[in-house]
Amino acid sequence: MSTPYPFTALVGQDDLRLALLLNAVSPAVGGVLVRGEKGTAKSTAVRALSALLPEVPVVAGCRFSCDPSAADPNCPDGPHEAGGATARPARMVELPVGASEDRLVGALDIERALAEGVKAFEPGLLADAHRGILYVDEVNLLHDHLVDLLLDAAAMGASYVEREGVSVRHAARFLLVGTMNPEEGELRPQLLDRFGLTVEVAASRETDQRVEVVRRRLAYDDDPEGFAGRWYDDESALRERVVAARALLPQVTLGDGALRQIAATCAAFEVDGMRADIVMARTATALAAWAGRTDVQSEDVRQAALLALPHRRRRNPFDAPGLDEDKLDETLEEAREDEAPEPEGGGSPDGDDDPDPDGPGGGGGQPPAGEGPDSPELPSQNQGGSEGTGEDEGEGQDEAPAPQAPAPAPGGAGEQQAVRAAEPFRTKMLSVPGIGEGAAGRRSRARTEHGRTTGSRRPQGALTKLHLAATVQAAAPHQRARGRVGTGLVVRRDDLRQATREGREGNLVLFVVDASGSMAARQRMSAVKGAVLSLLLDAYQRRDKVGLVTFRGADAEVALPPTSSVDAAAARLESLPTGGRTPLAAGLLKAHDVLRVERLRDAARRPLVVVVTDGRATGGVEPVARAGRAARLFAADGVASVVVDCESGYVRLGLAAQLAGELGGTAVTLDELRADSIAGLVKDVQGMNSPSRRAA
């Protein structure tokens, strides 16, 4: 087993270290989600945490880590007799992104269960992580069906395996820690809310700190054991402090004043549900215990809000997580004034005659663990943050922004500055015809591991979903030849049948957006961007990958290669300038090339091309004919496509509909794209490809 990097040897990342330590003190806080760019020690910090956790008492020989003082009466390895207790180090179990359902929840021996009625169960990762840490690297890339299982286990504290009448249940309470790079896509809101705390990490921009990071990492790589030995005393001291804080935690009092501040803060920031209030209360209590106090103070509440609320304020995937600290301080101060009695003797209304007993700052920017010279490990939420930058998110929002000069136009003269997108709306569902076999999602029909059962087949490899009726039907004719006696069914491996299921898949939605001068009218371009933003939101909800190709001036460019990060696509769209000629053929050829490369990377994921244009083509030799030839490449490859017709005015040329015919797709207007429009019937691409539709 390799020697882990010492937790105390980490440089910087104060918020990350604090969040992890608070969960070590109080696992009830609910885990940590670590968001940040690649190469910022996210995984290193999480793996180092397990060495700081106290040993776990378990029933000897129990595969499910039952607590000897409160053994699970439903444990598959039970019932447990008194005695036989032992202790082992706390486990950190890693869940790979590509893990199967059986690996996560455990596997049943279906053949023995049918033939012998024996519950032969092999525990999975949820059983291994019980009373420890379950770590998911790149948690935002986890498949939906695994996310659902994690949600169930986190909510109930138990894992259930139900298959063809065979039921197994075991306890599964764990500290959930996930790391992710937001550029690769966001988390589902349900799973996001299950993480108690969240922290944003980024590489330091200070030269001295970066030098120290490199120096320590090279020293560790050269001699891991020797490097860990040099930090042994610091690790031991921190481990003892975690144990002491755990022992003090039951004695910490959460007063009515602190509780009122917590409730007022959650209400002021309009977080959904009550989980945020509970997590903040537990976090503030853990902060007090970590600081060696038995009472929760205002700075504990403030620090808890900075860790527990940012990821719960998001309303859609395009909102950046974060918290307005000025508003937070005002809310805490108002809640404290509501609780305090009216002063006698006429102090000044601004409170200068009665300084805040909690110290300067009205709530404190420093965490309680940072008080005093004996607490060097205590990180500060504001270190490395935006304090002192002079930025105020809420200032001047009601004033119209001053006009800015447009950036130089790479595509030639006539370029206009970027315009803001109109408000997004709910779009009709567009899907790819046929049945695919791509990644699980919510757009097009596909053969998947989850969904409704449509038939059976012989298993190819390991059996994952048994079709019971088909298995019994295959085994029944051979019972006499196999010498069956009694009531048991004699089942052989050749009799087993895999259930075939139909569900939904995610697609690659490639947007090809016309940013030329013919689209540059500000009101029209704002509507076009709003429509694309709406389609991006739909793609996020349906678990698609997205890409963005734009064309204007003399050429086209890939503004965003195919990715799962729809918020990155939204950011590129927001800054998209317009102007110049309309190289429609160049845009289509660039999109065709993107699909060719992506087909080599992920052949199972089917594409859906959405061309947003008024259909005009200008510039170069025979621009209309070249655009038609480029469009027919998509039709020849059988690529599903939709043209969003952006033409406006009383006189319409119908060029977008002609382009849709060349693509082998269909054209919809901006109004028809809305799900609540008169024409907003839900249709897939195949249904919209009828001859009558094209003629229209």
Side-chain angles (χ1 to χ4, degrees):
M1 181 178 179
S2 60
T3 303
Y5 192 91
F7 191 88
T8 50
L10 295 170
V11 178
Q13 306 299 10
D14 296 335
D15 298 339
L16 171 58
R17 291 189 291 136
L18 176 62
L20 292 173
L21 288 170
L22 291 177
N23 276 275
V25 171
S26 175
V29 166
V32 186
L33 175 64
V34 187
R35 298 164 48 94
E37 58 196 26
K38 51 188 177 294
T40 49
K42 302 187 296 292
S43 301
T44 300
V46 175
R47 293 188 176 99
L49 176 67
S50 59
L52 301 178
L53 299 180
E55 288 192 333
V56 178
V58 297
V59 174
C62 178
R63 298 174 298 166
F64 301 89
S65 302
C66 282
D67 187 346
S69 62
D72 182 3
N74 298 316
C75 176
D77 283 356
H80 299 299
E81 298 179 359
T86 185
R88 61 161 176 77
R91 291 175 180 162
M92 192 199 72
V93 178
E94 293 194 42
L95 171 60
V97 170
S100 66
E101 179 181 336
D102 287 347
R103 186 70 188 97
L104 178 62
V105 301
L108 287 169
D109 188 334
I110 301 296
E111 190 172 354
R112 289 189 62 193
L114 284 174
E116 306 173 27
V118 176
K119 294 182 181 180
F121 181 71
E122 185 66 26
L125 296 178
L126 291 179
D128 293 341
H130 179 47
R131 304 176 67 199
I133 301 173
L134 181 62
Y135 171 48
V136 189
D137 193 12
E138 306 293 350
V139 63
N140 51 324
L141 303 182
L142 201 63
H143 289 299
D144 274 1
H145 66 284
L146 297 183
V147 170
D148 294 336
L149 293 170
L150 273 183
L151 288 174
D152 290 342
M156 297 183 292
S159 175
Y160 292 85
V161 182
E162 303 281 351
R163 290 190 180 174
E164 285 74 37
V166 180
S167 176
V168 174
R169 173 209 171 275
H170 65 83
R173 292 182 294 275
F174 46 82
L175 172 61
L176 182 61
V177 181
T179 56
M180 61 174 283
N181 184 348
E183 295 178 356
E184 297 173 340
E186 287 293 345
L187 274 176
R188 285 171 54 184
Q190 295 93 330
L191 183 57
L192 189 65
D193 190 51
R194 286 293 176 185
F195 287 97
L197 310 179
T198 185
V199 291
E200 297 278 339
V201 297
S204 173
R205 299 299 183 256
E206 297 181 8
T207 302
D208 292 341
Q209 196 171 78
R210 295 176 75 97
V211 168
E212 186 61 23
V213 170
V214 175
R215 181 182 290 118
R216 292 187 186 184
R217 185 68 205 192
L218 293 178
Y220 170 77
D221 290 340
D222 290 340
D223 183 11
E225 293 184 2
F227 182 82
R230 291 195 292 274
W231 294 88
Y232 178 79
D233 292 341
D234 293 329
E235 290 282 288
S236 298
L238 189 57
R239 189 180 301 109
E240 291 173 1
R241 186 174 177 187
V242 170
V243 174
R246 277 194 172 190
L248 183 62
L249 186 65
Q251 305 174 35
V252 176
T253 301
L254 180 65
D256 290 342
L259 193 55
R260 180 173 292 275
Q261 285 184 319
I262 290 171
T265 301
C266 292
F269 285 99
E270 299 180 351
V271 295
D272 295 332
M274 295 298 298
R275 183 173 284 116
D277 304 63
I278 297 171
V279 170
M280 273 190 66
R282 290 170 174 167
T283 304
T285 303
L287 280 161
W290 180 247
R293 290 185 271 100
T294 57
D295 62 315
V296 175
Q297 299 181 359
S298 292
E299 63 264 29
D300 300 327
V301 176
R302 185 181 193 277
Q303 186 71 40
L306 292 172
L307 292 172
L309 295 188
H311 61 301
R312 292 186 165 89
R313 294 191 59 244
R314 304 188 71 189
R315 291 295 180 265
N316 64 60
F318 311 133
D319 292 338
L323 214 60
D324 185 342
E325 296 192 28
D326 290 338
K327 180 178 178 180
L328 173 61
D329 290 336
E330 292 174 4
T331 302
L332 293 174
E333 186 63 31
E334 290 173 1
R336 184 162 46 238
E337 290 175 353
D338 292 342
E339 182 71 16
E342 290 293 332
E344 299 179 4
S348 64
D350 59 4
D352 289 340
D353 295 337
D354 184 18
D356 184 0
D358 290 330
Q366 302 294 329
E371 297 176 354
D374 298 331
S375 304
E377 304 91 348
L378 284 181
S380 166
Q381 177 73 20
N382 289 330
Q383 292 179 4
S386 60
E387 185 175 349
T389 62
E391 297 176 355
D392 189 346
E393 296 177 10
E395 186 174 345
Q397 290 183 352
D398 295 331
E399 300 178 5
Q404 299 179 357
E415 179 178 300
Q416 301 182 13
Q417 70 183 78
V419 298
R420 295 186 63 85
E423 283 296 316
F425 51 84
R426 188 169 65 90
T427 67
K428 67 168 63 176
M429 192 182 82
L430 305 174
S431 60
V432 179
I435 300 180
E437 295 182 348
R442 296 184 179 86
R443 184 172 296 278
S444 306
R445 295 173 57 199
R447 285 181 286 270
T448 63
E449 290 294 322
H450 300 270
R452 62 186 182 88
T453 300
T454 57
S456 65
R457 60 176 174 82
R458 291 182 180 273
Q460 299 172 352
L463 178 70
T464 55
K465 295 291 183 182
L466 179 74
H467 194 295
L468 182 59
T471 298
V472 172
Q473 187 176 6
H478 309 291
Q479 295 304 295
R480 180 174 298 178
R482 293 173 182 175
R484 170 186 169 183
V485 292
T487 58
L489 186 67
V490 181
V491 179
R492 304 276 173 83
R493 178 157 293 276
D494 290 342
D495 302 327
L496 300 179
R497 294 294 183 268
Q498 175 85 21
T500 58
R501 302 192 175 197
E502 183 178 309
R504 294 279 173 176
E505 66 177 359
N507 298 111
L508 166 59
V509 182
L510 182 61
F511 294 94
V512 186
V513 180
D514 184 349
S516 65
S518 66
M519 300 282 289
R522 294 183 65 84
Q523 185 175 0
R524 191 193 332 169
M525 196 61 197
S526 176
V528 168
K529 284 188 175 182
V532 178
L533 197 64
S534 304
L535 290 167
L536 282 171
L537 183 59
D538 181 69
Y540 165 77
Q541 294 169 340
R542 300 190 187 282
R543 312 297 288 172
D544 295 317
K545 290 180 70 174
V546 296
L548 179 62
V549 173
T550 64
F551 58 94
R552 63 187 176 88
D555 204 357
E557 66 171 345
V558 181
L560 184 72
T563 176
S564 297
S565 178
V566 295
D567 51 342
R572 303 289 173 87
L573 178 72
E574 191 70 23
S575 60
L576 179 67
T578 59
R581 294 185 179 274
T582 311
L584 178 57
L588 295 175
L589 291 174
K590 182 70 72 174
H592 188 267
D593 190 55
V594 169
L595 293 184
R596 179 184 59 81
V597 175
E598 193 65 19
R599 193 177 295 116
L600 297 175
R601 295 174 177 170
D602 188 357
R605 189 181 289 270
R606 298 185 296 162
L608 172 63
V609 175
V610 180
V611 185
V612 184
T613 182
D614 56 9
R616 289 181 172 85
T618 60
V621 180
E622 297 183 339
V624 177
R626 290 182 63 243
R629 289 194 295 269
R632 286 191 287 274
L633 294 175
F634 292 86
D637 291 342
V639 176
S641 58
V642 175
V643 178
V644 179
D645 185 358
C646 303
E647 192 174 25
S648 60
Y650 294 105
V651 179
R652 297 175 182 262
L653 303 179
L655 299 177
Q658 294 178 24
L659 175 63
E662 299 281 4
L663 287 167
T666 188
V668 295
T669 65
L670 290 176
D671 289 337
E672 290 175 332
L673 193 62
R674 294 178 178 270
D676 54 357
S677 69
I678 297 177
L681 301 176
V682 177
K683 305 175 182 178
D684 63 18
V685 176
Q686 187 177 33
M688 299 189 331
N689 279 343
S690 63
S692 60
R693 176 73 180 178
R694 292 186 190 178

